Amino acid sequence: MKQARVLTRSELKRVLAVCSTHRHHHRNRLIILLSHYVGLRVGEIASLVWSDLLEADGAVKHVFYLSAENTKSNEARAVHLNELLKKEISNYSKLVGIEFDTSSVFSPVIASQKGQSFSANSLCQLFGHIYSEAGIDDASSHSGRRWFITQLAHKGVSPKVIMELAGHKHLGTTQRYIDVNEDMKTAAIGLL
């Protein structure tokens, strides 16, 4: 089975630019960033509710936890957020009017036009539509996850750390996600 394409940084910028033209551009941008900057699977993104991401005072958590029932491996895991994603989540929560004294904290982070949670399948279709509109072939909802793992590996992050961030049980699984191209091979040889 062919793996999802790993986007270049310029392609990711193009995808985000395409999102900015959509009616639900803030939501779609957040979907792309959750995939690329924390490596969430489409089902994990679809399962998020605001109380997962926000503290009681409305501040974005540095680390949040995916419950076992919302992960592919059926094991809970910690998800660490960088400053870029924390800012995006904070801005989006204010935009959609999340308040902790209401039931809105239990509403889906990524909501459909009707305010309901996306199914994983519907969210996969949305990813496909966004990538297609950006003119990127062979990309899928898994492209962001592969990008996340590849970027960490190429920045020299320990394979064990990447494995845990990705929620993989085996290092071999993580290694299959890492994309290698000719420029990287040339650069590696140049280090000798």
Side-chain angles (χ1 to χ4, degrees), residues 4-70:
R5 178 179 177 164
V6 176
L7 278 60
T8 64
R9 286 203 177 265
S10 63
E11 288 172 330
L12 178 55
K13 284 181 184 179
R14 191 164 77 230
V15 167
L16 293 173
V18 163
C19 288
S20 72
T21 67
H22 292 168
R23 178 177 174 205
H24 299 285
H25 61 276
H26 296 290
R27 178 199 68 192
N28 293 354
R29 178 180 169 86
L30 185 57
I31 291 166
I32 296 296
L33 293 176
L34 286 167
S35 176
H36 282 78
Y37 281 86
V38 289
L40 293 183
R41 295 174 180 98
V42 70
E44 295 166 345
I45 295 170
S47 74
L48 292 174
V49 295
W50 284 107
S51 59
D52 292 332
L53 303 179
L54 303 177
E55 302 284 359
D57 65 358
V60 178
K61 296 177 181 179
H62 298 286
V63 177
F64 71 91
Y65 295 88
L66 290 171
S67 61
E69 63 267 11
N70 293 330

Side-chain angles (χ1 to χ4, degrees), residues 40 43 79 119:
L40 293 183
V79 177
S119 69

Side-chain angles (χ1 to χ4, degrees), residues 143-162:
S143 291
R145 186 165 170 78
R146 289 199 65 221
W147 185 91
F148 169 74
I149 292 169
T150 296
Q151 291 296 312
L152 292 175
H154 292 197
K155 291 185 186 314
V157 175
S158 161
K160 177 72 172 159
V161 172
I162 298 170

Side-chain angles (χ1 to χ4, degrees), residues 14-188:
R14 191 164 77 230
V15 167
L16 293 173
V18 163
C19 288
S20 72
T21 67
H22 292 168
R23 178 177 174 205
H24 299 285
H25 61 276
H26 296 290
R27 178 199 68 192
N28 293 354
R29 178 180 169 86
L30 185 57
I31 291 166
I32 296 296
L33 293 176
L34 286 167
S35 176
H36 282 78
Y37 281 86
V38 289
L40 293 183
R41 295 174 180 98
V42 70
E44 295 166 345
I45 295 170
S47 74
L48 292 174
V49 295
W50 284 107
S51 59
D52 292 332
L53 303 179
L54 303 177
E55 302 284 359
D57 65 358
V60 178
K61 296 177 181 179
H62 298 286
V63 177
F64 71 91
Y65 295 88
L66 290 171
S67 61
E69 63 267 11
N70 293 330
T71 66
K72 182 178 178 182
S73 64
N74 291 318
E75 291 186 14
R77 83 168 192 272
V79 177
H80 298 258
L81 298 173
N82 67 13
E83 292 305 314
L84 169 89
L85 206 43
K86 286 172 53 181
K87 182 178 176 183
E88 290 285 336
I89 292 167
S90 178
N91 290 342
Y92 187 60
S93 71
K94 291 171 186 157
L95 181 73
V96 297
I98 300 304
E99 296 180 18
F100 259 80
D101 58 347
T102 68
S103 62
S104 65
V105 296
F106 302 108
S107 63
V109 173
I110 306 302
S112 69
Q113 291 182 28
K114 295 179 181 179
Q116 303 299 312
S117 294
F118 272 84
S119 69
N121 187 45
S122 295
L123 204 49
C124 277
Q125 291 174 18
L126 179 57
F127 270 102
H129 175 74
I130 292 169
Y131 289 136
S132 177
E133 195 174 334
I136 300 172
D137 296 328
D138 301 326
S140 75
S141 61
H142 226 56
S143 291
R145 186 165 170 78
R146 289 199 65 221
W147 185 91
F148 169 74
I149 292 169
T150 296
Q151 291 296 312
L152 292 175
H154 292 197
K155 291 185 186 314
V157 175
S158 161
K160 177 72 172 159
V161 172
I162 298 170
M163 183 181 87
E164 290 192 17
L165 289 171
H168 289 151
K169 292 181 184 179
H170 305 286
L171 186 56
T173 303
T174 305
Q175 289 174 322
R176 286 194 302 270
Y177 278 72
I178 300 170
D179 188 49
V180 177
N181 63 40
E182 291 304 314
D183 292 339
M184 294 169 194
K185 293 176 193 176
T186 302

